[in-house]
Amino acid sequence: MADVTATPAMVTDKGLDRVIIGDSTKSFIDGVEGVLEYVGIDIDDLARNSTFEECCYLLLFDRLPTSAELQFFESEIRSHYELSDELKEMIKVTPKTASPMHVLRTMVSALAHEDQECNDQSIEAEERKALRILAKSPAIIAGFDRHRRDLPLVDPDRNLNIATNFLMMLNGEMPGEQTARALDVCLILHADHGINASTFAAMVAIGTQSDMYSAVTAAIGTLRGPLHGGANERVMDMLNEIGDLEKVDGFINGRLERKEKVPGFGHRVYKAYDPRAKYLKTFAKTIAEETGNHHLFEMSRKIEEIMEAAVGSKGIHPNVDFFSASSYYSMGLAIDLFTPVFAMARNAGWAAHALERHQDNRLIRPRCNYTGPHAAPYVPIENR
Ligand code: ACO
């Protein structure tokens, strides 16, 4: 029996790789040439010259801000840095063994409980919700990490940018300028990337005329998977498991022989070198050297060399997660905070795409090809 809902124009595309779901002005990706632009500006240019806050403005409003606009935007974000006493209490009653990504997902969802505008679906209200999520996520991640280490929560400081403020709340002291800038650059590089899996999840949610909290909650849950944002944690686990430059060869070749994927390599869109990884590679070297973690960079370089020879011709190269792992580790972040920090950055892209969809919406509702039986009898339970 044919699927009566299917029409001849329909295609089956399990990973949706061949489906374009609409227009977007946010980020441009050329997977063949290895190009990434936010609103037309090359990622390398932004990483060298911009700030995370400025990139958030760029992604949300499709242009670079004037200095007065940036100042106003930053002060808006900073005015939402603090968590309410109730939310801090929620963090303190969370089991210390919980995974930070689960905590972030739950807490972002909980932000809706105390937002008076929660049910206001105007574009302006959704924009304000996006800023609140962007502003409060660092306090949630840092707060939970301190709670699980039996340390008191540190209040945010409105004089600091997002990256500096996060490190200050996490460690209870001001970070060095270099480290704060290093994190700022990582946030820029992770801020947006077209319709990746988590952004798509956000768009599916907003497409039902749900709200920004629901959209970002769905996105965080999706980012968590090891085939997406969770890969950076797997990269670090792998580097720790290898432990020694001498053991890299055996480890990587063993994985390849067993047809196991090596985390931090390959990308659904990039078949050329991921332009974010290109910048991060130089960066990972500097920060590893500065923090006495040179061996991590050396192991990463060796893994890249082996992978290039083995699968480079298939278009498998390091992705953004490969060199961000050793960079975050060198900055002193716990491994299970890597993906939450990724989420902190991607809040910008999730919001930008969700708002874009909000203004030109169509319910996202694909179909599947039913392959089960038809006219099957209902067998009473006692006869099964
Ligand atoms: N290690 C070894 N071989 C690989 C890898 C890898 N990491 N990735 C792909 N390949 C091989 C596959 O085995 C396959 O080989 P075959 O043709 O001989 O069967 C070929 O390359 C194509 O791979 P696919 O899985 O079909 O590529 P796809 O586009 O579906 O997958 C993905 C992309 C999921 C990212 C994949 O490369 C992967 O699992 N990588 C490791 C996880 C990872 O790093 N994810 C982060 C992605 S970036 C991000 O989300 C922020």
Side-chain angles (χ1 to χ4, degrees):
M1 190 187 292
D3 181 346
V4 291
T5 59
T7 69
M10 285 186 171
V11 290
T12 299
D13 188 352
K14 205 169 162 191
L16 303 185
D17 333 19
R18 294 173 296 157
V19 177
I20 290 175
I21 62 151
D23 295 340
S24 175
T25 53
K26 305 304 171 187
S27 51
F28 169 77
I29 305 166
D30 182 337
V32 178
E33 295 296 326
V35 174
L36 171 62
E37 295 170 341
Y38 294 164
V39 195
I41 306 177
D42 192 79
I43 192 66
D44 198 69
D45 209 357
L46 291 168
R48 284 174 205 283
N49 302 307
S50 187
T51 62
F52 177 56
E53 281 80 353
E54 190 178 53
C55 287
C56 292
Y57 188 102
L58 175 66
L59 287 165
L60 290 173
F61 305 112
D62 283 346
R63 62 175 177 82
L64 288 172
T66 63
S67 136
E69 284 168 337
L70 182 59
Q71 211 177 350
F72 181 74
F73 182 68
E74 285 178 347
S75 66
E76 267 298 294
I77 295 177
R78 292 174 190 197
S79 72
H80 295 299
Y81 270 173
E82 282 90 11
L83 297 179
S84 67
D85 289 343
E86 289 76 14
L87 288 171
K88 285 191 225 167
E89 212 41 56
M90 234 180 120
I91 291 179
K92 290 182 200 161
V93 297
T94 302
K96 292 178 177 161
T97 50
S99 144
M101 273 305 266
H102 286 300
V103 176
L104 180 65
R105 190 197 55 227
T106 302
M107 296 294 299
V108 164
S109 179
L111 292 179
H113 303 173
E114 49 188 38
D115 189 339
Q116 306 292 322
E117 296 190 302
C118 186
N119 293 324
D120 180 346
Q121 285 175 323
S122 65
I123 187 78
E124 294 78 14
E126 294 299 345
E127 245 169 52
R128 287 191 289 273
K129 290 174 205 174
L131 290 198
R132 286 181 201 122
I133 296 170
L134 192 64
K136 292 182 195 298
S137 295
I140 294 171
I141 301 165
F144 174 67
D145 189 61
R146 288 186 70 84
H147 157 66
R148 69 179 176 172
R149 288 186 284 142
D150 291 321
L151 294 170
L153 271 54
V154 173
D155 286 331
D157 181 343
R158 291 185 183 193
N159 296 308
L160 305 176
N161 68 13
I162 291 177
T164 316
N165 186 46
F166 170 68
L167 291 169
M168 188 278 296
M169 289 188 291
L170 189 71
N171 300 321
E173 59 184 28
M174 279 294 282
E177 226 171 275
Q178 301 257 39
T179 311
R181 175 61 188 157
L183 181 61
D184 197 43
V185 172
C186 286
L187 297 181
I188 293 173
L189 295 172
H190 287 84
D192 192 34
H193 206 242
I195 311 300
N196 52 84
S198 55
T199 303
F200 184 61
M203 288 170 69
V204 171
I206 212 85
T208 67
Q209 291 184 350
S210 186
D211 64 291
M212 192 60 78
Y213 295 110
S214 305
V216 175
T217 301
I220 295 170
T222 309
L223 184 72
R224 201 186 145 253
L227 294 188
H228 192 10
N232 56 14
E233 297 183 14
R234 302 292 159 101
V235 171
M236 200 58 232
D237 289 338
M238 174 178 74
L239 289 172
N240 281 337
E241 194 183 335
I242 299 174
D244 192 296
L245 189 60
E246 300 302 310
K247 296 188 184 149
V248 170
D249 240 312
F251 186 94
I252 298 296
N253 283 316
R255 274 195 99 130
L256 290 174
E257 272 157 31
R258 292 191 300 275
K259 300 240 169 276
E260 288 168 11
K261 286 189 176 158
V262 176
F265 283 82
H267 198 277
R268 180 52 67 76
V269 180
Y270 293 118
K271 298 308 165 196
Y273 210 98
D274 183 332
R276 303 165 297 175
K278 216 182 278 176
Y279 190 86
L280 271 168
K281 185 177 173 178
T282 330
F283 197 66
K285 181 171 189 287
T286 315
I287 188 155
E289 274 165 4
E290 272 175 9
T291 54
N293 286 300
H294 190 62
H295 66 290
L296 290 179
F297 183 76
E298 282 306 311
M299 279 200 286
S300 305
R301 222 175 40 82
K302 181 87 183 146
I303 295 171
E304 185 188 1
E305 199 180 292
I306 299 168
M307 288 295 284
E308 202 54 48
V311 290
S313 59
K314 282 191 201 172
I316 308 297
H317 306 287
N319 58 47
V320 68
D321 286 324
F322 188 60
F323 288 107
S324 64
S326 55
S327 304
Y328 287 150
Y329 192 79
S330 301
M331 277 176 217
L333 295 186
I335 296 175
D336 61 2
L337 294 187
F338 294 3
T339 319
V341 169
F342 186 163
M344 216 166 94
R346 191 52 63 84
N347 275 328
W350 292 331
H353 287 276
L355 291 169
E356 196 173 40
R357 189 83 190 179
H358 185 278
Q359 292 172 87
D360 181 24
N361 190 35
R362 180 168 165 80
L363 178 76
I364 298 173
R365 203 321 189 169
R367 305 197 188 159
C368 65
N369 184 32
Y370 176 71
T371 58
H374 290 285
Y378 176 81
V379 180
I381 197 161
E382 60 276 15
N383 298 342
R384 285 175 223 159

